[in-house]
């Protein structure tokens, strides 16, 4: 059902607005095999394909000759061949072959900067070369129970990229939406900010989205969320599986387009994951999660604990989706309360990366 929803959204995609420059998921690596694939990104059709060396490429989908869709073609000798007149394009987007004549000098398709890591093919959005690399989730070792210690989610939603990512900076919703009952309150802190603001003043803790020393916004908006032990029904379940702790910690490495998250209980890491987005079009996104559950005990106990950690991530993601799908369109600002300071900080940081993309 969710896959059909994603395809329907792609068919009606409109150009995105207010999108930060950064790395976005084009598609999961496993979905890009030998032939070209259509992918809709930023409201426009693109084509993804692999060369002879297995390297992934993502390019504009329209042939500059007669407008044929290149995703209807095939990969030949390490090039992408148009299905209409057999013009061929290499990984840089240049036309390298035209049957019976020399390729026109101006014949080319746009090639997006592309990386492949963390189980995804990523593309860079924004003018100029990429300013950083996408998050890389180390590969898992072989497990006795495949699919239990590592898992992925891909959920189409009408939320924007900013709405999806700012959710991690909102500790209040952990209780309000997810029912995270704890023996105290959830807190969020930020590391010291380096660099200087545009007016020359050194930014303080409240000046989220600081400017880097070399000009432009900081690469990341990192944060640490902590909360005390679970209580109530959740505490009962956690105690039964030996999963409760005096303090839980969520460490976030946050870019303007994706996140890398680690989750700890009393200093012991339980799982790590990448949270990423495919911006299909205006108000049409796919939220991606790739999680790796750390070994937490041997035998049946470790297996059961892994299932619990997996359920934590899946249930929380599924609870967010109905809210995402019914949010007012766009990146609207509402009434702020003191508990929203972290969200406001991220929004300022995110908007600097939007401005960076718009200046290009």
């Amino acid at each position: 059902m969710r896959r059909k929803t994603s395809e329907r959204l792609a068919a009606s995609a409109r150009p995105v607005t207010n999108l930060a420059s950064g790395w976005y998921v084009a598609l999961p690596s496993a979905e890009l095999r030998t032939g070209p694939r259509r992918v809709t990104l930023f409201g426009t059709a693109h084509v993804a394909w692999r060369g002879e060396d297995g390297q992934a490429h993502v390019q504009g989908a329209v042939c500059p000759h007669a407008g044929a869709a290149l995703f209807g073609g095939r990969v030949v000798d390490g090039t992408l061949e148009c299905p209409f007149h057999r013009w061929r394009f290499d990984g840089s987007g240049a036309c390298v072959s035209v049957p019976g004549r020399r390729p026109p000098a101006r014949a080319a398709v746009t090639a997006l900067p592309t990386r492949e890591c963390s189980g995804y093919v990523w593309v860079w959005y924004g003018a100029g070369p990429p300013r950083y690399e996408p998050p890389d989730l180390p590969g898992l070792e072989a497990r006795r129970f495949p699919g239990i210690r590592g898992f992925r989610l891909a959920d189409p939603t009408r939320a924007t990229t900013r709405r999806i990512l700012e959710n991690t900076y909102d500790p209040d919703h952990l209780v309000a939406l997810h029912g995270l009952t704890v023996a105290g309150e959830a807190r969020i802190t930020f590391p010291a900010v380096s660099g200087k603001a545009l007016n020359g003043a050194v930014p303080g803790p409240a000046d989220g989205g600081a400017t880097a020393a070399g000009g432009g916004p900081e690469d990341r908006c990192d944060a640490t969320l902590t909360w005390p032990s679970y209580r109530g029904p959740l505490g009962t379940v956690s105690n039964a599986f030996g999963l409760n702790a005096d303090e839980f910690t969520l460490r976030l490495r946050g870019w303007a387009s994706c996140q890398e998250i680690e989750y700890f209980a009393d200093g012991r890491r339980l799982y790590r994951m990448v949270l990423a987005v495919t911006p299909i079009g205006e108000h049409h996104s796919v939220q991606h999660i790739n999680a790796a559950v750390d070994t937490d005990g041997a035998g049946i106990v470790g297996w059961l604990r892994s299932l619990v950690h997996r359920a934590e991530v899946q249930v929380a993601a599924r609870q967010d989706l109905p809210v995402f799908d019914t949010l007012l369109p766009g990146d609207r600002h509402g009434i702020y309360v003191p508990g929203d300071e972290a969200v406001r900080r991220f929004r300022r940081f995110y908007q600097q990366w939007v401005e960076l993309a718009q200046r290009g």
Side-chain angles (χ1 to χ4, degrees):
M1 180 64 71
R2 279 279 168 184
R3 185 176 182 86
K4 291 181 179 178
T5 301
S6 180
E7 293 171 352
R8 186 179 70 253
L9 296 181
S12 60
R14 293 182 292 139
V16 294
T17 60
N18 204 55
L19 185 64
S21 183
W23 288 103
Y24 294 93
V25 168
L27 74 170
S29 294
E31 294 183 8
L32 185 58
R33 304 182 186 276
T34 56
R37 281 284 309 272
R38 173 179 178 163
V39 291
T40 303
L41 301 167
F42 323 122
T44 304
H46 291 74
V47 58
W49 59 284
R50 292 190 185 277
E52 287 183 326
D53 58 358
Q55 183 175 347
H57 305 284
V58 180
Q59 300 172 335
V62 179
C63 178
H65 175 217
L70 293 173
F71 48 77
R74 57 178 184 156
V75 178
V76 180
D77 297 331
T79 64
L80 179 61
E81 184 181 78
C82 176
F84 199 2
H85 296 93
R86 309 301 177 191
W87 288 28
R88 295 181 182 178
F89 302 86
D90 66 12
S92 72
C95 181
V96 295
S97 175
V98 173
R101 55 178 55 89
R102 179 180 300 178
R106 295 186 295 111
V109 293
T110 301
L112 301 182
T114 306
R115 302 285 190 274
E116 190 166 10
C117 59
S118 298
Y120 301 113
V121 176
W122 304 75
V123 294
W124 178 263
Y125 174 83
R131 298 171 64 102
Y132 59 88
E133 292 301 309
D136 187 7
L137 185 70
L140 299 175
E141 298 177 1
R143 305 294 189 185
R144 290 183 60 190
F145 303 100
I148 298 298
R149 301 297 172 91
F151 62 93
R152 297 179 191 164
L153 305 176
D155 296 308
T157 172
R158 293 188 177 278
T160 63
T161 295
R162 199 203 73 184
R163 289 288 205 175
I164 292 170
L165 297 180
E166 72 184 22
N167 205 40
T168 315
Y169 297 84
D170 183 8
D172 284 357
H173 98 284
L174 296 178
V175 175
L177 177 62
H178 300 307
L180 186 68
T181 52
V182 294
E185 69 172 334
R187 294 173 288 110
I188 184 167
T189 59
F190 293 86
V193 178
S194 62
K196 294 184 178 181
L198 291 174
N199 60 6
V202 177
D207 298 319
T211 300
E218 291 283 338
D219 283 352
R220 301 198 310 269
C221 183
D222 295 349
T224 300
L225 281 76
T226 57
W227 56 88
S229 58
Y230 298 129
R231 61 181 178 83
L234 181 59
T236 301
V237 174
S238 298
N239 289 331
F241 283 95
L243 296 176
N244 220 338
D246 292 331
E247 183 178 75
F248 294 93
T249 305
L250 188 148
R251 295 178 185 170
L252 166 66
R253 299 178 73 220
W255 294 267
S257 60
C258 54
Q259 298 172 353
E260 186 175 328
I261 297 168
E262 292 183 295
Y263 179 55
F264 297 83
D266 288 338
R268 184 182 75 254
R269 189 174 68 185
L270 302 181
Y271 60 77
R272 61 198 190 279
M273 72 182 196
V274 167
L275 172 63
V277 181
T278 299
I280 296 175
E282 188 77 343
H283 315 312
H284 296 163
S285 308
V286 176
Q287 174 182 264
H288 295 278
I289 291 176
N290 183 11
V293 179
D294 285 25
T295 302
D296 188 16
I300 190 67
V301 174
W303 181 71
L304 288 173
R305 287 178 175 176
S306 295
L307 286 178
V308 172
H309 297 324
R310 176 174 181 162
E312 283 180 325
V313 176
Q314 289 178 312
V315 169
R318 295 297 191 266
Q319 288 175 328
D320 287 328
L321 291 174
V323 178
F324 284 167
D325 288 344
T326 54
L327 287 169
L328 288 174
D331 289 337
R332 295 173 181 267
H333 301 282
I335 297 173
Y336 288 116
V337 297
D340 295 327
E341 283 304 313
V343 171
R344 296 183 70 178
R345 179 181 179 127
F346 174 74
R347 288 180 176 181
R348 292 191 292 266
F349 164 78
Y350 179 88
Q351 205 60 32
Q352 287 195 330
W353 282 93
V354 172
E355 294 168 1
L356 186 68
Q358 293 173 344
R359 287 199 302 268

